[in-house]
Structures are given as structure tokens and as C-alpha cells.
Amino acid sequence: NSDTGCRRPLNVLYPVPLPQFDMVHIITWNVGSATPPDDITSLLGLHVGDGNTDMYIIGLQEVNSMINKRLKDVLFTDQWSEVCMERLSPFGYVLVTSQRMQGLLLLIFAKYFHLPFLRGVQTETTRTGLGGYWGNKGGVSARMSVYGHTICFLNCHLPAHMENSDQRMEDFESILQQQQFEGQAATGVLDHDVVFWFGDLNFRIDDLDMQVVKSAIDNNKFPMLWEKDQLNMAKDSETVLEGFQEGPLKFSPTYKFDVGTNTYDTSGKKRKPAWTDRILWRLRATAPALGAGKRGSISGLTSGTKVTQHYYRSHMEYTVSDHKPVSSIFTLQFPYKVDIPLVTIIVEDEWNCVADAIAKFKMAPNFSRSSWDWIGLYKVGFKHHKDYVGYVWAKQEEADFHRQEHEVTFTEEELPKGSGDFILGYYSNNMSTIVGVTEPFQIQLPTSGLDNSSSDSSDFSSEDDSTVVLMKTRSRSPSPRKSKHRSHRSGSPNRSRSGSPAQAKIKELKVTDGSPSSTTKTPTVVSFITYIHYTVYFLKWKYTVSDAILFRNSRLVCPEGLLCLELFY
């Protein structure tokens, strides 16, 4: 491009080399409806290694799910997800998926360069409270294929109280039976190559009285408590627990503490300390080993997977809940079954002017492409797949079907102001995940002539009460009737999210002042307060929704005439 003078010999930045995947960090915490503490650095272990972990799995229980709080969490990102993303994203971790069921929350993070090899991501929920009608107890899970090996993460909150050990086992069996995934391989939880089971499992210490338990804790005589731990005892008799392994409990019982202290329960109930918060794992069995007893029937995996636990500990420094968080780090060793991304993106190592903003990509023969796929431009440290600076549609023309290499161009409005390190990611609409990424490259554009409007996808976690975009959808394909107007870039000149790929089949809800001039369409207008009251009435809940008065002067505007809030699970 001699007119701009910015073109130079092509210095191609090829795709990310095949990364090494081996370390998984799992955290479980019953947060007791508390807000997140100011600093979760030690909980995440970021002071040790600072980002060497490949994947973080965070399972929370009793996240505040009161009706006013739950409503806000549906419209915006909940506080716990936000604080985890804020702390992990600077180290290159991206939210892969999340699942919420009332107080149960499961978050899966991975290094961005692993995203193309995390496939078939699905989530499930199972209610077990009130005979299966209420989600205060139950399980939420996420499954995926990691470099070709199937892994399932199951976060559970089982029934409380000493006498309910049998009920806990029944609920666990019910969760395993009900959670079924789509696809030919690993349709049930236990069909996966590796299962990690964790949460507030609520198992208690039988027989021993309070003073004996506390004396054993004070003197670090944990083995005498292990023998009376209900979960350890159940492993000898419950078939459903066959194959599940757990590291030694070398830390003090994590329940129940006076909030704000490290003192065990001094209330009138004086609950006996117990290891309610646990992390276990299971390898898919092949054949029983010769001479193996009930607890020795696992001989390994046909896929050659090996799981090693490196530490298993509690975190006494956190006092916002009556439970202490528990964490564990594992290494997974397995031969890669998948080592080629579905989409390979090639870019120059620097973009110094708009004319440089070109990306080429190739697709694997088995990749099922969609007309609604797109390539996002992400600033290094992005939080999730919607957290892009700009994007272009990976448009598929009839002439493209037989081409091996494709090319897209970012226009000026899709590019960031100033300079920084960025990556490109190819988002597959069919797979609902990023299937190809580049290594970081630099963008150093002249600031003059660039739009001053911001284009980051902050609506995922925005708390702006004037505009709300509901992100919880199953598909991101724009409405078919809009296909005639689709181009390589957004048709939105002001770079708002309304023209973004994240809008695909999404119902956009805007809170306005109710004035006729606030929208150019003639949408269905529904009073927010009325909607809430009718929802509560319909569910026959005996709640007084006093907090909803906050929205008394607002209106929910839905262009499609449909309200799609998933308020209650």
C-alpha cells in the first residue's frame, strides 16, 4: 500500500505452538451468602508460580440467591464471577463456561491458548431440595473434551445434619442418574475419563463427642477422626463411591466457624466440627485388578490418563463464611488425542496502520463452519469470549467452499485506540466456543482519525442501570431475517453491542425512562415491578418483593415482544 506507506515485508506470526496441559487447580467454598473478600490471591495460589496452572475450577455453594440479589445476578455478572475474572484475567485465564443453580455456582477458567482444545463443553444442573423441586441443594456440572480426553467437573451441595448421611448418598446417586450429556461419548458423569467431584458434601464425624473432636484437632490427631468420617466409612459400603479417591485430610475440619473468626461454633447449636468441604476424583475404570477388593478395583484408563494430587488444603485466613475454603492442585498426564486446532489463524506480528489489519485462516477438514462464525480481536488479559475489542464475521460465500485459505479484514471502527498486545480468536457458533487463537501481536496505530468511542464488551459485567443486555442464551446466531444485512463488520456505527455477534438470538432488554422517544421501534413495554410480582405469584412464592420498588420508574423494553429473564432455577 504505497499510498499509506505503512506496509512492510510480511513478518508472519503463526498460530500458538501446541501447549503443554497438565495442571488443574480446584477450589470449593460454601460462602454462606457473603460478598467476596477483598483479596483472593492466596486462595487462587497466584503467589506461588503466578499463572503456571492451566485450568481453574471454582465451585461455590450458598452464593446469595435472595430474590433481589438473584435478579441482579441474572441481569449482570454476579460478584463472585466478577472478582474471579478480575483476578485471573491478567494472568491469561479466560472464562470457559459457568453454571448457576440458585446458590450453587461453577466457574471454569483456562489459559487462552488451551481454548481451541477444549471442545464439547456442556453444563447440567440437578435439583434435589424439597424432593427435587428446589435448587438450594443438588449439583451443577460442566463437561468437556480436553485434548481429546473427557473430563467432568461436578459441584454438589448435599443435605445437611449428622443424621442425613444416607440421604446424602441418595441425592448423590440421583444427581449421577439425572445428569446426562449430549453426544456419543461420555453421556453420563461416570462415563468420563476423569471426574472431579467436590463441594459442600456435608458429611460429618460420627460417634465422637464435641470435646474428643476438638481435642484431636488441637493435637493434630486427625487419623482418629478420619475413621469416623461418614464419607470415608461410606466408601467401604456404597457402590456408587467405587473408584473415587481423596487425598489425606491433613487440615482441620472446615465447618463450622463463627463468622469473622477461626473459632469453631460457639452458638447455642454448637455444631461439631466436620470436613464438610471435600474434593475427590475418579478415573474411568477398565477391568478390575486381580485380587482387588472393594476399594481397589481401579487399574487405570484405556486412554492412559494419570492423575496426581500435589496438595489438598484449607485456607484458614478467609473468615467471611462459617466454612473455610478448600483447594487442591492436580497434574493430569495423558497422551494428546487432539493436537491440531479446528481453525488456524495467521496474522502479521504488528499492525501499524489500518491496512495491516488482515487475518488469514484455514479450517480443518472436519470443522463444521457456520455463516455466523466470527473472529474477535481481544486485548491480552480478556475475561471471556464476549470481551472483544472488535470483530469481523468469518463470512462464508459460495466461492469459499473449495478454498483452503480465507481472509478477513478489520476496518478502522473495529480497531482499538492507541497501542497494546492483542490476540485473534475464531468463535464457532455451532460449538459455542473459541476454536482457534493466535499468539499475542502488537497493534500500534496512530491515534488521529480513530473513533473515540469505547468498544470493549463491558456489557457482560456492566452494572449500568440504564441499559441491560441479557447474556444467558443457548445460541448466538442473529435472526435469519437479518442475514441480508450481514457484512464483515458490525453495521453499528457507534460501536454499541447491539450489532455484535453476542446478540445472536438474544433478547435485548433496555431499562429506559419510559418516554416514547427512548426507542425508534414500537416495542412491547412491560412494567418491571408488575413482571416481578406476576412471576412470584405464578410460582406461588410467599415473598414480599420490596426491593423491586427500585425499578418503579423503569420499563423493560423487549424488541421481540418477549421477556426471557431466567430469574429462578
Side-chain angles (χ1 to χ4, degrees), residues 465-489:
D465 285 337
S466 63
T467 303
V468 177
V469 181
L470 181 62
M471 287 297 178
K472 190 173 185 63
T473 60
R474 289 189 177 273
S475 172
R476 292 171 176 80
S477 301
S479 172
R481 65 173 176 270
K482 298 180 182 179
S483 60
K484 293 182 180 180
H485 306 289
R486 188 179 77 258
S487 66
H488 280 290
R489 60 182 179 88

Side-chain angles (χ1 to χ4, degrees), residues 116-138:
F117 304 99
L118 308 181
R119 303 178 186 175
V121 179
Q122 298 179 51
T123 60
E124 276 291 340
T125 63
T126 303
R127 305 178 184 90
T128 59
L130 294 180
Y133 289 99
W134 192 241
N136 65 320
K137 296 291 189 294

Side-chain angles (χ1 to χ4, degrees), residues 233-249:
M233 293 189 292
K235 288 178 184 176
D236 291 324
S237 58
E238 297 288 346
T239 304
V240 71
L241 296 178
E242 186 173 348
F244 277 98
Q245 304 176 60
E246 183 181 21
L249 298 164

Side-chain angles (χ1 to χ4, degrees), residues 2-19:
S2 58
D3 294 335
T4 63
C6 71
R7 303 299 285 168
R8 51 193 166 73
L10 182 65
N11 185 10
V12 173
L13 183 66
Y14 284 95
V16 177
L18 187 66

Side-chain angles (χ1 to χ4, degrees), residues 194-447:
V194 184
V195 176
F196 289 100
W197 174 39
F198 48 92
D200 180 1
L201 307 185
N202 254 321
F203 289 100
R204 309 302 172 98
I205 296 173
D206 266 342
D207 301 333
L208 305 177
D209 61 32
M210 175 74 81
Q211 294 306 316
V212 173
V213 172
K214 285 191 172 182
S215 176
I217 295 170
D218 292 340
N219 294 286
N220 289 322
K221 294 183 178 179
F222 297 134
M224 69 175 290
L225 303 182
W226 299 346
E227 296 174 0
K228 296 297 182 180
D229 175 76
Q230 291 176 337
L231 181 55
N232 282 335
M233 293 189 292
K235 288 178 184 176
D236 291 324
S237 58
E238 297 288 346
T239 304
V240 71
L241 296 178
E242 186 173 348
F244 277 98
Q245 304 176 60
E246 183 181 21
L249 298 164
K250 295 182 178 180
F251 50 88
S252 298
T254 53
Y255 174 84
K256 174 181 181 169
F257 291 87
D258 292 339
V259 175
T261 76
N262 287 326
T263 303
Y264 285 108
D265 188 17
T266 60
S267 71
K269 294 182 178 179
K270 287 186 171 58
R271 295 283 169 80
K272 188 163 56 174
W275 287 291
T276 55
D277 311 282
R278 313 287 277 269
I279 301 173
L280 297 89
W281 73 97
R282 179 186 187 273
L283 300 180
R284 181 170 52 83
T286 52
L290 293 176
K294 293 180 180 177
R295 300 181 63 179
S297 59
I298 301 301
S299 61
L301 280 171
T302 55
S303 59
T305 300
K306 181 181 179 182
V307 176
T308 304
Q309 185 180 51
H310 292 281
Y311 74 70
Y312 189 23
R313 57 164 296 193
S314 65
H315 297 262
M316 295 293 289
E317 65 270 30
Y318 293 99
T319 61
V320 298
S321 169
D322 56 357
H323 290 251
K324 300 298 182 184
V326 172
S327 66
S328 185
I329 286 184
F330 299 87
T331 53
L332 277 63
Q333 296 172 281
F334 47 66
Y336 287 2
K337 293 182 177 179
V338 173
D339 57 8
I340 299 175
L342 292 172
V343 175
T344 299
I345 310 173
I346 303 172
V347 294
E348 294 186 32
D349 62 345
E350 288 185 18
W351 289 0
N352 292 317
C353 65
V354 175
D356 286 335
I358 297 172
K360 297 181 179 180
F361 63 95
K362 301 176 182 179
M363 294 174 291
N366 59 334
F367 176 59
S368 177
R369 186 178 181 185
S370 164
S371 295
W372 302 115
D373 292 353
W374 44 276
I375 295 177
L377 175 64
Y378 298 94
K379 191 171 180 62
V380 169
F382 69 103
K383 298 176 181 178
H384 47 81
H385 76 269
K386 300 188 187 94
D387 190 20
Y388 47 76
V389 174
Y391 70 92
V392 293
W393 295 105
K395 192 175 180 181
Q396 186 176 23
E397 306 288 356
E398 288 187 14
D400 290 344
F401 285 108
H402 300 292
R403 294 176 57 187
Q404 293 186 343
E405 188 173 272
H406 309 270
E407 183 177 289
V408 293
T409 301
F410 284 80
T411 60
E412 184 172 319
E413 68 175 12
E414 274 102 29
L415 298 176
K417 304 184 298 291
S419 61
D421 292 330
F422 296 83
I423 70 166
L424 293 177
Y426 186 108
Y427 183 86
S428 166
N429 183 67
N430 291 335
M431 300 179 69
S432 298
T433 189
I434 292 175
V435 296
V437 296
T438 65
E439 287 192 272
F441 62 95
Q442 285 192 331
I443 296 181
Q444 296 182 352
L445 301 177
T447 56

